[in-house]
Amino acid sequence: MRITFIGGGNMANAIIAGLIKQAAHRIHVVDPDAGKVERLRQEYDVSGGAALPDAFDIGDIVVLAVKPQHLRDLCLELEPRLNGALVISIAAGIRLDALCRWLGSKRVVRVMPNTPAMIGKGVSGLFASVGVNEDDRQDANTVMQAAGITLWLQNEQRIDDVTAVSGSGPAYVFYFIESMIEAAQQTGFSEAEARRLVLATFEGAVELAKQSPLPVAALRTNVMSKGGTTERAIARFEAEGVKQAIIAGTLDCRDRSIEMGQQLSQD
């Protein structure tokens, strides 16, 4: 496939790295930052530059990987050059109807990825406009699976749900890791020891949850014994409302995603 990335930041870098491992795709990067383009050129042997191509072909794929506030102007600049190329937008918040309107095309796929894509462990929720056929869906899937797993959504509103759970989810996990590292240091471990202990604990727990047929609630209770140490910790979490705070924060995230989408998708 011939794929043009507009924007050469971390997410574009992650997807390009995965695509290079897949097959010999023809990849071009457009970014005003010459340093980003040069790094990508040296690392992945892609072409690149600061200027948009004069024209795309109907068989091309264009990945929009710029900040949401810059997307409208970019789309308007792309519109006369697009010639029916498939567009994949990984810009947060911008609704499909706005993208299709600005691009003058209904061959658009909207994607919500997350930062573990940088190590090939990403999660991407995808939703396609009415002009996207089955071959286009396969191509979009190929692009995003280069950075992790994909999930096609039944309606566009589910993008906000994916944002709340997977898009922002790594930050929740990092927040919990950060808290546990601080707790470990308060018990006397060095920062390096605390980090090693906590990260290994998370890695092991996640792998156990993946391999076990038991619900995660059952795995949790398996660690607890009546009147024991783990029960004391969980009792404090429950008393402090930790679970409810996580649920409420996740739903707040979804609400903010909806608000931002409405704001950013206006003409």
Side-chain angles (χ1 to χ4, degrees), residues 16 20 24-29 37-48:
I16 291 169
I20 293 297
H25 302 295
R26 291 177 293 164
I27 296 174
H28 184 78
V29 180
V37 173
E38 185 57 29
R39 284 192 296 274
L40 290 168
R41 183 185 288 129
Q42 290 183 5
E43 187 164 0
Y44 303 116
D45 194 28
V46 300
S47 62

Side-chain angles (χ1 to χ4, degrees), residues 6 14 37 48 58-59 81 90 100 104 123 126 130 153 161 170 174 190-191 197 207 233 239 244 256 262-263:
I6 304 179
V37 173
I58 196 166
R81 310 165 189 253
I90 61 173
C100 292
V123 176
L126 299 88
V130 294
L153 306 171
D161 302 332
F174 298 146
S190 69
E191 182 177 357
L197 276 173
E207 193 59 36
Q244 289 306 312
R256 180 56 181 150
Q262 293 169 343
Q263 294 165 359

Side-chain angles (χ1 to χ4, degrees), residues 125-245:
L126 299 88
F127 183 74
S129 65
V130 294
V132 173
N133 61 33
E134 189 56 37
D135 287 342
D136 292 337
R137 290 169 70 94
Q138 293 272 356
D139 288 343
N141 214 50
T142 295
V143 171
M144 297 314 303
Q145 279 186 337
I149 69 167
T150 58
L151 176 66
W152 285 92
L153 306 171
Q154 301 94 330
N155 57 68
E156 189 175 8
Q157 288 69 36
R158 299 310 305 272
I159 289 278
D160 297 310
D161 302 332
V162 169
T163 299
V165 176
S166 295
S168 298
Y172 316 156
V173 176
F174 298 146
Y175 187 77
F176 206 94
I177 290 172
E178 178 187 356
S179 301
M180 285 186 63
I181 288 174
E182 289 183 16
Q185 288 180 271
Q186 288 187 27
T187 70
F189 289 109
S190 69
E191 182 177 357
E193 290 170 332
R195 178 182 171 89
R196 185 182 179 202
L197 276 173
V198 172
L199 291 180
T201 300
F202 265 80
E203 184 179 13
V206 169
E207 193 59 36
L208 178 58
K210 287 168 65 175
Q211 294 188 25
S212 174
L214 295 175
V216 290
L219 293 175
R220 171 177 58 79
T221 56
N222 283 348
V223 185
M224 301 166 60
S225 57
K226 187 68 176 175
T229 57
T230 309
E231 186 183 65
R232 177 72 66 86
I234 296 297
R236 170 58 71 93
F237 294 159
E238 290 291 297
E240 298 288 343
V242 173
K243 180 187 286 189
Q244 289 306 312

